[in-house]
């Protein structure tokens, strides 16, 4: 690949770091304080799944849906006719999180990231009334995508109202996307799998969300075999992935993404408690990747945001703070020494 440089504006400055979404514990103010204090260039609205159903990523996004509701069954979240206790709890916690974020982003100017589960992971996780995943019904998938687009639009408007100086970045969490494309999502019985969804249909639903966001959209997947080409065609501004799961076969697609101006949010720092190496060492694999792709070192800091490999919900509070600070130092090392 030629030694090309990219020429793309992202809403965060070069050498930025961020997180993926979840944080440990259940204190919204503490989480918002940690995230905004650690990540000046690209802070985000934390998720606190330890609080229970409704604070998990599926429940939180189910609470955002427009004119679609869900409740908790022993098997997971199921679509309901009307909002019940579980919907109210999800919305209440999201309101608490937004209150905390607003408190700690007074005067914030610049990028701010918020998350929702993407349409395909939502369709694989939400059950229809009979107990089968919405993924089993193309009409249900279309309804879910439309409801999610409307709900996300309202959520982003609320964030922009509360933090008027923010350029809001929407992250769609799609850990099940590859399984949906490959036809490996199991049915309720566990004995069969749902049919693979046509790539054009998958891309179209993602594009619906990109258009609804009216701003930059990043898709995150901490699963192997992220479909880089499909995501680019859907119009995303950035792709977030776990560097340790990358294979050589995906490198060409990554090179094309970078040359096309797509940002890479690279999970280079472990998401659970471990001894952290020096920050420059944590992103050694990123520099190596750049060399192999023949990309200009000068483009590294503007193309890459350093993040933990996945959410930090499984980490200790002390490690979560250390990991975010480590990401900031690692991103700075990429900016200072791209070679």
């Amino acid at each position: 690949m030629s030694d090309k440089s990219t020429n793309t504006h992202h809403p965060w400055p070069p050498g930025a770091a961020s997180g993926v979404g979840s944080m440990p514990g259940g204190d919204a103010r503490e989480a918002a304080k940690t995230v905004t204090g650690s990540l000046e260039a690209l802070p985000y609205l934390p998720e606190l799944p330890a609080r229970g159903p409704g604070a998990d990523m599926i429940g939180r996004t189910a609470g955002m849906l427009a004119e679609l509701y869900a409740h908790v069954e022993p098997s997971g979240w199921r679509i309901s006719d009307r909002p019940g206790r579980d919907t109210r709890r999800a919305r209440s916690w999201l309101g608490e999180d937004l209150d905390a974020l607003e408190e700690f982003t007074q005067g914030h100017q610049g990028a701010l990231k918020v998350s929702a589960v993407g349409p395909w992971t939502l369709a694989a996780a939400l059950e229809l009334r009979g107990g089968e995943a919405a993924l089993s019904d193309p009409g249900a998938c279309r309804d879910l995508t439309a409801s999610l687009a409307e709900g996300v639009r309202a959520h982003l408007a609320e964030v922009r109202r509360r933090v008027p100086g923010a350029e809001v970045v929407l992250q769609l969490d799609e850990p099940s996307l590859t399984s949906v494309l490959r036809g490996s999502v199991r049915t309720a019985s566990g004995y069969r799998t749902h049919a693979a969804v046509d790539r054009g249909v998958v891309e179209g639903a993602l594009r619906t969300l990109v258009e609804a966001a009216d701003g930059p959209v990043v898709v995150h997947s901490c699963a192997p075999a992220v479909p880089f080409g499909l995501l680019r065609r859907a119009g995303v501004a950035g792709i977030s992935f776990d560097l340790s799961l990358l294979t050589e076969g995906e490198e060409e697609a990554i090179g094309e993404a970078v040359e096309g101006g797509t940002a890479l949010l690279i999970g280079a720092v472990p998401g659970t408690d471990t001894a952290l190496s020096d920050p420059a060492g944590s992103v050694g694999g990123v520099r190596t990747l750049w060399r192999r792709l023949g990309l200009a070192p000068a483009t590294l800091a503007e193309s890459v945001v350093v993040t933990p490999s996945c959410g930090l919900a499984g980490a200790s509070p002390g490690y979560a703070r250390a990991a975010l600070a480590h990401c900031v130092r690692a991103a700075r090392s990429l900016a200072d020494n791209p070679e």
Side-chain angles (χ1 to χ4, degrees):
M1 198 167 287
S2 61
D3 188 24
K4 293 183 184 175
S5 64
T6 56
N7 171 23
T8 301
H9 165 71
H10 300 301
W12 51 82
S18 193
V20 172
S22 65
M23 290 288 283
D27 185 331
R29 289 187 76 254
E30 186 57 38
K33 183 179 178 185
T34 298
V35 164
T36 55
S38 304
L39 304 166
E40 289 178 21
L42 186 49
Y44 63 95
L45 176 66
E47 296 171 2
L48 300 172
R51 292 182 296 199
D56 60 300
M57 68 180 204
I58 299 296
R60 180 178 177 121
T61 301
M64 291 181 197
L65 295 173
E67 296 178 32
L68 264 183
Y69 312 102
H71 65 276
V72 180
E73 291 279 337
S75 52
W77 285 88
R78 184 169 295 181
I79 291 171
S80 332
D81 293 321
R82 59 183 64 86
R85 184 182 60 196
D86 297 326
T87 298
R88 287 193 293 274
R89 188 192 296 125
R91 289 176 176 173
S92 169
W93 272 329
L94 180 58
E96 196 179 294
D97 294 339
L98 287 168
D99 288 344
L101 183 76
E102 185 177 1
E103 179 184 345
F104 290 103
T105 51
Q106 294 292 314
H108 176 75
Q109 299 283 330
L112 174 67
K113 185 160 69 71
V114 300
S115 303
V117 175
W120 296 108
T121 296
L122 203 57
L126 275 186
E127 298 172 358
L128 300 172
R129 288 172 186 83
E132 204 51 84
L135 189 62
S136 64
D137 179 337
C141 289
R142 284 193 294 273
D143 291 348
L144 196 54
T145 298
S147 171
L148 178 62
E150 198 52 48
V152 157
R153 204 178 278 122
H155 177 53
L156 295 176
E158 174 70 1
V159 175
R160 289 172 181 133
R161 184 185 68 75
R162 287 171 176 258
V163 193
E167 183 164 355
V168 183
V169 178
L170 172 65
Q171 175 179 302
L172 294 174
D173 292 316
E174 282 283 19
S176 300
L177 183 59
T178 301
S179 300
V180 167
L181 289 165
R182 288 181 169 176
S184 57
V185 176
R186 295 214 162 272
T187 58
S189 69
Y191 295 123
R192 294 184 304 109
T193 56
H194 294 288
V197 180
D198 178 85
R199 295 179 80 84
V201 173
V202 169
E203 187 185 315
L206 289 167
R207 193 178 295 111
T208 297
L209 268 296
V210 169
E211 288 164 1
D214 192 26
V217 175
V218 168
V219 170
H220 167 71
S221 174
C222 47
V226 175
F228 290 94
L230 182 149
L231 293 173
R232 276 185 59 221
R233 287 192 299 276
V236 306
I239 302 170
S240 169
F241 62 96
D242 179 346
L243 181 63
S244 70
L245 299 178
L246 199 63
T247 63
E248 245 177 79
E250 294 163 286
E251 289 184 1
E252 189 175 340
I254 286 189
E256 287 171 0
V258 172
E259 289 181 349
T262 307
L264 303 179
L265 287 80
I266 299 184
V269 175
T272 49
D273 292 41
T274 188
L276 292 168
S277 67
D278 72 295
S282 296
V283 285
V286 180
R287 289 190 183 89
T288 304
L289 174 66
W290 235 246
R291 278 197 296 274
R292 278 209 301 270
L293 293 173
L295 293 165
T299 65
L300 243 181
E302 66 192 50
S303 300
V304 171
V305 174
V306 178
T307 74
S309 57
C310 211
L312 293 166
S316 66
Y319 178 80
R321 280 193 298 275
L324 292 180
H326 193 85
C327 287
V328 170
R329 289 195 292 271
R332 196 171 298 136
S333 93
L334 279 185
D336 292 345
N337 303 299
E339 313 258 4

